[in-house]
RNA sequence: CGGGGCGUAGCGCAGCCCGGCUAGCGCGUCUGCUUUGGGAGCAGAAGGUCGGAGGUUCAAAUCCUCUCGCCCCGACCA
């Protein structure tokens, strides 16, 4: 199945969907707003999972599994939480052929049911902290779905922790934000801006929400992960209390944090080009594809090529490679296929290479045929493994550099509201903000842009709000977002 | 829920405005031969309730009415 994909510049939304479907990452399900994650997409997700999971465990978290169904009354216990989630709940009213006494909500997120369980498990300060994560699917009745970015059902991890003090909870919230940032930058090669959400954008029920914000290939923003300081809001709603060392009952301080399959969408949009996906080597399901070029009527040549391939494979320990020996597909066809799928590195090897004891190494992130600076280089056949490993590191680093350069080139620091309105249409606008919700709302009305975050990293000094001119202490990132 | 677009072969589409022979085309699939260093060529073959229901007509993919669904742009959101 081969159809040319539409260039990004022509129709970004169409490009995005075409790439996902043609690269076999995902497909539409028969139910509106739901998607099927196909094996190739899921393999990428599994690598994301593995990287995050190992970081969670290294910081003392354990995995568990909580139920899919939540009693409706649970959702209603925290005022802001209900208000935020009620409109997008899927509710089960019947079971076993009978109407249920109390409707069950298909979890949109699990603070409530986990909070309920924590209230039973936590008695003493000695029980704290509780550090639990779960990998799960959740459902939100979204009005306008989009593959990976916003589907009605999506996959994610949600961490839920309980602490004795607010200081500890804050520390946890920021520790996770660091983990997310580290993951995004060093594994996904996506430069993200860690920061705080504004009041209007924060998680329903949180005291403070933190986020990592990324820029996509069309210069729009994407929230790629969130970490919430829930204060004592859920502890109070669910009665999560402990007896402290002075024999006093105290409410716990809780946090929650999540990264979803949206991260896959971020990877696609941060790195993809008109040829298809470009996957960062550290997460790519296949890091290296070997394409043997074997003339049909020369069995001895074919055998020699395949022997050389087998020999190379023996040296590739630690590399996720695949040999595409579909000899009935032409080399060009196979090249294009793997480029569409974003495999970071390709080895081309044919009889002509064998004569010179070399192979062709072609990198996905730099297309172009020839020359030492192009995407293709010749590499001595004895040294393939070393070159491959080095090249994978180089690609990983270059992808991050390229994405960072792109983001920086499209980040502006306007000094007047007029200039602000213009630049926010074509990238990130960094500007002073007084903190007033009215100014935030005005920006949204005038430009459709929202505050993506108030970055953790702030410049020295103070300035004047880009909207109202009042004294401002913080810089905010404004952008149009998904 | 508002605005736009679309449902015809596995996929992508033309045909519809202006009704008329057996509903076409490209890709893919199957068979055979020739091919393989950037999406191979030739020959042959299979594959269709034209989204659904009703209506108009001698005759409907095409016109009318109703209906279902999907995609895109907004409002809402990880």
């Amino acid at each position: 199945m081969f159809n040319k994909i539409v260039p990004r510049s022509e129709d970004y939304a169409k490009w995005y969907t075409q790439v996902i479907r043609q690269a076999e990452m995902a497909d539409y399900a028969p139910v509106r707003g739901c998607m099927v994650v196909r094996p190739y997409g899921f393999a990428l997700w599994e690598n994301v999972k593995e990287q995050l999971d190992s970081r969670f465990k290294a910081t003392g978290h354990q995995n568990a599994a909580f139920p899919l169904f939540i009693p409706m009354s649970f959702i209603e216990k925290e005022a802001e939480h209900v208000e935020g989630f009620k409109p997008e709940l899927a509710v089960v009213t019947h079971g076993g052929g009978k109407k249920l006494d109390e409707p069950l909500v298909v979890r949109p997120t699990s603070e409530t049911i986990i909070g309920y369980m924590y209230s039973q498990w936590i008695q003493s300060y000695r029980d704290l902290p509780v550090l639990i994560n779960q990998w799960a699917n959740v459902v939100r009745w979204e009005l306008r779905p989009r593959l990976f970015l916003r589907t009605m059902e999506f996959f994610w991890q949600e961490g839920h922790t309980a602490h004795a003090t607010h200081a500890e909870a804050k520390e946890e919230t920021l520790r996770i934000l660091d983990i997310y940032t580290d993951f995004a930058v060093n594994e996904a090669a996506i430069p993200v801006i860690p920061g705080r959400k504004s009041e209007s954008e924060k998680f329903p029920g949180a005291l403070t929400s933190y986020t990592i914000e990324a820029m996509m290939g069309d210069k729009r923003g994407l929230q790629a992960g969130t970490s919430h300081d829930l204060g004592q809001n859920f502890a109070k709603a669910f009665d999560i209390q402990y007896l402290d060392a002075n024999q006093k009952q105290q409410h716990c301080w809780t946090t929650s944090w999540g990264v979803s399959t949206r991260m896959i969408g971020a990877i696609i949009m941060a790195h993809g080009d008109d040829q298809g996906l470009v996957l960062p080597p550290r997460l790519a399901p296949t890091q290296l594809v070997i394409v043997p070029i074997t003339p049909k009527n020369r069995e001895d040549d074919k055998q020699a090529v395949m022997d050389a391939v087998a020999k190379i494979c023996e040296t590739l320990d630690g590399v996720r490679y695949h040999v595409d020996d579909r000899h009935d597909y032409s080399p060009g066809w196979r090249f294009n296929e793997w480029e569409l799928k974003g495999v970071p590195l390709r080895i081309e090897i044919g009889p002509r290479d064998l004569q010179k004891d070399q192979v062709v190494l072609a990198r996905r992130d730099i297309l172009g045929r020839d020359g030492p600076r192009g995407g293709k280089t010749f590499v001595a056949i004895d040294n393939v493994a070393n070159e491959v490993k080095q090249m994978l590191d180089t690609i990983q680093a270059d992808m991050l550099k390229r994405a960072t350069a792109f983001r920086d080139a499209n980040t502006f620091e306007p000094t007047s509201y007029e200039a602000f309105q213009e630049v926010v249409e074509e990238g990130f606008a960094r500007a002073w903000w007084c903190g007033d919700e009215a100014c935030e709302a005005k920006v949204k009305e005038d430009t459709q842009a929202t505050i993506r975050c108030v970055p953790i990293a702030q410049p020295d000094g103070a300035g004047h709000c880009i909207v109202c001119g009042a004294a401002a202490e913080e810089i905010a990132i404004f952008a149009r977002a998904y």
Side-chain angles (χ1 to χ4, degrees):
Chain A
M1 187 210 316
F2 158 58
N3 291 296
K4 206 134 184 84
I5 49 182
V6 70
R8 290 187 303 166
S9 55
E10 197 174 301
D11 188 339
Y12 198 82
K14 206 168 184 180
W15 168 85
Y16 178 74
T17 346
Q18 285 182 345
V19 166
I20 287 172
R21 300 187 71 193
Q22 288 190 36
E24 299 181 345
M25 298 283 283
D27 208 346
Y28 288 110
V31 177
R32 188 196 74 92
C34 292
M35 70 172 168
V36 176
V37 181
R38 301 186 66 175
Y40 191 60
F42 204 78
L44 178 56
W45 176 238
E46 283 177 320
N47 289 342
V48 169
K49 270 172 92 165
E50 196 183 313
Q51 289 299 331
L52 286 172
D53 204 60
S54 62
R55 285 164 168 81
F56 298 152
K57 288 183 177 147
T59 45
H61 301 84
Q62 292 179 300
N63 285 332
F66 292 86
L68 174 72
F69 295 129
I70 299 178
M72 180 60 100
S73 58
F74 280 28
I75 302 286
E76 291 166 342
K77 281 190 178 168
E78 210 289 330
E80 276 187 30
H81 197 65
V82 204
E83 202 192 326
F85 281 107
K86 199 102 194 219
E88 49 189 66
L89 294 179
V91 182
V92 179
T93 56
H94 290 73
K98 279 192 240 162
K99 188 162 189 291
L100 301 174
D101 291 340
E102 179 180 355
L104 296 174
V105 169
V106 181
R107 63 181 167 211
T109 177
S110 305
E111 278 76 6
T112 56
I113 195 154
I114 293 179
Y116 172 81
M117 295 313 297
Y118 281 8
S119 72
Q120 322 235 323
W121 296 341
I122 296 168
Q123 312 291 333
S124 147
Y125 70 95
R126 294 195 178 92
D127 297 328
L128 298 171
V130 176
L131 308 172
I132 293 180
N133 175 66
Q134 80 168 342
W135 291 94
N137 56 340
V138 289
V139 168
R140 296 181 189 178
W141 213 263
E142 297 293 350
L143 299 176
R144 200 146 92 71
R146 213 167 158 66
L147 290 173
F148 286 115
L149 299 182
R150 198 178 300 102
T151 43
M152 295 224 300
E153 179 194 23
F154 60 93
F155 302 88
W156 73 346
Q157 58 69 213
E158 48 179 325
H160 297 269
T161 68
H163 308 264
T165 66
H166 194 197
E168 274 180 50
K170 274 189 198 163
E171 194 187 324
E172 167 77 2
T173 309
L174 292 174
R175 178 183 303 121
I176 297 298
L177 190 68
D178 278 348
I179 287 177
Y180 287 165
T181 306
D182 174 63
F183 167 83
V185 172
N186 294 314
E187 306 293 341
I190 301 174
V192 291
I193 302 172
R196 195 186 76 235
K197 280 285 177 193
S198 68
E199 275 298 300
S200 70
E201 298 266 326
K202 74 168 195 199
F203 177 78
L207 214 58
T208 313
S209 286
Y210 295 90
T211 173
I212 49 171
E213 292 290 325
M215 183 185 282
M216 301 295 98
D218 60 352
K219 302 170 192 172
R220 287 172 75 174
L222 182 79
Q223 175 175 312
T226 46
S227 183
H228 313 292
D229 172 1
L230 302 175
Q232 292 179 308
N233 293 345
F234 286 89
K236 285 180 176 161
F238 287 91
D239 214 27
I240 314 174
Q241 295 196 58
Y242 69 96
L243 201 59
D244 72 13
N246 300 318
Q247 301 216 30
K248 274 180 69 184
Q249 283 289 331
Q250 303 273 6
H251 281 106
C252 287
W253 298 82
T254 65
T255 81
S256 70
W257 27 275
V259 158
S260 72
T261 31
R262 167 179 277 194
M263 185 58 81
I264 306 294
I267 292 169
I268 295 167
M269 289 200 291
H271 301 303
D273 64 19
D274 287 349
Q275 203 64 226
L277 293 175
V278 182
L279 298 180
R282 293 187 58 89
L283 294 177
T286 301
Q287 298 173 304
L288 168 72
V289 62
I290 301 175
V291 180
I293 297 156
T294 52
K296 202 171 208 171
N297 295 326
R298 306 206 303 268
E299 272 306 317
D300 49 337
D301 275 351
K302 180 175 171 179
Q303 195 54 49
V305 169
M306 293 315 290
D307 287 348
V309 168
K311 241 175 113 180
I312 290 170
C313 289
E314 281 172 24
T315 67
L316 292 173
D317 55 301
V319 178
R320 296 188 291 270
Y321 68 88
H322 170 75
V323 178
D324 184 359
D325 58 358
R326 295 175 297 175
H327 302 291
D328 41 347
Y329 288 86
S330 75
W333 195 94
R334 285 177 281 168
F335 296 166
N336 278 284
E337 162 112 337
W338 294 110
E339 279 168 10
L340 171 65
K341 290 195 151 200
V343 172
L345 200 54
R346 177 177 72 236
I347 286 179
E348 305 168 10
I349 176 168
R352 282 190 342 230
D353 298 304
L354 291 189
Q355 283 171 12
K356 295 183 242 170
D357 290 319
Q358 66 178 27
V359 302
V360 175
L361 208 54
R363 52 194 287 190
R364 173 61 181 89
D365 64 322
I366 300 180
L367 294 172
R369 300 227 171 116
D370 308 302
R373 298 210 170 273
K376 284 194 185 187
T377 45
F378 297 106
V379 166
I381 203 160
D382 300 330
N383 200 29
V384 169
N386 286 332
E387 297 277 359
V388 163
K389 285 169 196 169
Q390 259 181 40
M391 189 58 90
L392 288 173
D393 288 343
T394 305
I395 292 171
Q396 180 82 29
D398 284 357
M399 284 178 67
L400 177 61
K401 271 187 222 161
R402 213 170 292 121
T404 307
F406 179 81
R407 183 198 62 190
D408 292 348
N410 293 293
T411 299
F412 308 97
E413 302 194 354
T415 51
S416 72
Y417 191 57
E418 289 68 41
F420 172 90
Q421 284 178 275
E422 255 175 54
V423 297
V424 86
E425 294 291 328
E426 48 202 275
F428 284 4
R430 283 173 58 90
W432 292 100
W433 174 51
C434 63
D436 191 334
E437 284 189 37
C439 292
E440 187 183 11
K442 178 171 167 56
V443 167
K444 189 168 184 183
E445 200 185 312
D446 291 345
T447 65
Q448 286 184 317
T450 50
I451 293 183
R452 301 320 306 150
C453 70
V454 177
I456 303 279
Q458 287 286 328
D460 293 331
H464 297 282
C465 179
I466 191 74
V467 185
C468 70
E473 289 171 1
E474 293 181 313
I475 288 267
I477 306 282
F478 297 81
R480 295 191 57 180
Y482 281 101

